[in-house]
Amino acid sequence: MDLLGLYNYWIVILLMMAGFYIVISCGNLVKKIIGLNIFQTSVFILFISMGKVSGGTAPILAEGITRFSNPLPHVLILTAIVVGVATTSLGLAIVVRIHETYNTVNEDEIHQQDEDAE
Amino acid sequence: MAVSAIAIVRLRSLFAAVMLTSIYSLLSASFFLTLDAVDVAFTEAAVGAGITTVLFLSTLALVGRHSQESHHTRWLPLGVVTLTGAALIYATLDMPRFGDPAAPVHQHVAPRYIEQSAQEVGPPNIVTSVLASYRGYDTLGEVTVVFTAAIGVMLLLGRSRKDKQDDEHET
């Protein structure tokens, strides 16, 4: 069955949609950032699974090995993981700041307070 | 992994959700290991499962750990997500098969990295040579992003402390 070769993309899409659902449906800001993290990890898995060559090994040169997985996605994702932590920490800092101002991290309550203020 | 992701969707307690995110991260690290990406697995286990969890937990300590039930209608987001997922699955039908050595991604610069990096750069780990030499500018950009994020966090959190002190002085 040829379509079975696509299963890695389907897992990625399932995880990605789980993250996306959390981002758009949860009112809690911390949970939204958790959703973004899940989304991000699914993109990492997409890249890494594209770099896999069947029968290949880790891209470290050694004697007697001729077939390697593609090292380029690995490099890109190494960078992306660190950048992801940077953006997560910035997002969490904004959440802490919002909590100090509004005393809640729930989106609905923040909207309510904004409307009351106007 | 999919199970833990869906459990995170359903969970109300933020504390449990954060711990599950950590487990999810660790699982994805082992997944990377089976896909031959050893360096990525190390980084994900250290950074994704370690530092991110610490950040989330310290945030939870500041903002409280319970997520309130929101009374939105849940069908609209679910519909949007299903539609997007279906469109993406339709898009994957043209993608190369998993593990196919003839996929376009393996044809461009990767063969040169694999064949030439030992002579051109040196270290036996190809990922290291590409990271430090061929794509060194990526790492420069990454450092810039991390630096900017650190400044942002310091500004956001530092200013609020100062405001609080000012308030205390005034009252």
Side-chain angles (χ1 to χ4, degrees):
Chain A
M1 183 64 192
D2 203 25
L3 279 180
L4 269 184
L6 294 170
Y7 72 97
N8 62 320
Y9 302 113
W10 296 344
I11 295 172
V12 167
I13 289 171
L14 180 72
L15 294 175
M16 198 183 265
M17 288 307 112
F20 187 36
Y21 180 77
I22 296 178
V23 172
I24 60 178
S25 78
C26 287
N28 190 293
L29 295 175
V30 178
K31 205 153 177 208
K32 270 186 203 287
I33 293 179
I34 292 178
L36 273 182
N37 254 346
I38 292 177
F39 197 103
Q40 211 174 33
T41 313
S42 76
V43 177
F44 300 163
I45 294 172
L46 173 70
F47 268 68
I48 297 293
S49 68
M50 282 210 261
K52 169 77 178 166
V53 178
S54 43
T57 62
I60 296 173
L61 296 172
E63 279 187 34
I65 300 174
T66 49
R67 195 172 234 203
F68 301 101
S69 287
N70 193 340
L72 188 58
H74 299 184
V75 174
L76 297 180
I77 295 310
L78 273 179
T79 311
I81 288 176
V82 177
V83 169
V85 170
T87 49
T88 304
S89 62
L90 192 60
L92 289 173
I94 293 175
V95 169
V96 170
R97 191 77 186 85
I98 289 174
H99 181 76
E100 279 173 359
T101 310
Y102 289 91
N103 216 13
T104 174
V105 284
N106 195 303
E107 213 179 27
D108 300 334
E109 290 172 22
I110 292 170
H111 279 304
Q112 193 64 43
Q113 288 186 23
D114 275 348
E115 278 167 21
D116 292 347
E118 283 165 11
Chain B
M1 255 182 97
V3 172
S4 63
I6 289 164
I8 294 171
V9 176
R10 304 290 310 164
L11 270 177
R12 289 275 162 271
S13 162
L14 282 177
F15 185 72
V18 168
M19 289 334 278
L20 260 184
T21 316
S22 173
I23 292 171
Y24 171 83
S25 217
L26 209 58
L27 279 175
S28 69
S30 50
F31 192 60
F32 292 148
L33 200 63
T34 62
L35 290 176
D36 298 342
V38 278
D39 308 74
V40 181
F42 283 143
T43 316
E44 176 71 28
V47 171
I51 299 178
T52 312
T53 313
V54 171
L55 286 173
F56 270 118
L57 286 180
S58 44
T59 311
L60 283 193
L62 290 170
V63 303
R65 59 170 63 171
H66 287 288
S67 149
Q68 263 131 5
E69 178 83 38
S70 60
H71 297 285
H72 282 291
T73 156
R74 299 210 163 254
W75 294 110
L76 182 65
L78 201 61
V80 171
V81 165
T82 318
L83 267 180
T84 321
L88 284 174
I89 285 181
Y90 177 66
T92 60
L93 296 181
D94 284 340
M95 297 287 275
R97 301 294 178 263
F98 178 65
D100 183 4
V105 66
H106 305 307
Q107 305 304 321
H108 187 47
V109 288
R112 176 175 165 175
Y113 290 159
I114 290 172
E115 284 154 20
Q116 304 283 320
S117 73
Q119 288 91 48
E120 288 182 351
V121 188
N125 188 339
I126 303 172
V127 174
T128 312
S129 342
V130 178
L131 186 72
S133 173
Y134 295 109
R135 299 197 64 91
Y137 281 119
D138 276 12
T139 310
L140 180 67
E142 170 194 339
V143 171
T144 315
V145 170
V146 173
F147 180 67
T148 317
I151 288 183
V153 170
M154 273 158 57
L155 282 177
L156 281 167
L157 296 183
R159 221 190 85 203
S160 60
R161 297 261 159 70
K162 210 176 140 211
D163 285 351
K164 230 181 244 167
Q165 280 172 357
D166 289 349
D167 288 347
E168 279 164 12
H169 283 309
E170 281 164 18
T171 48

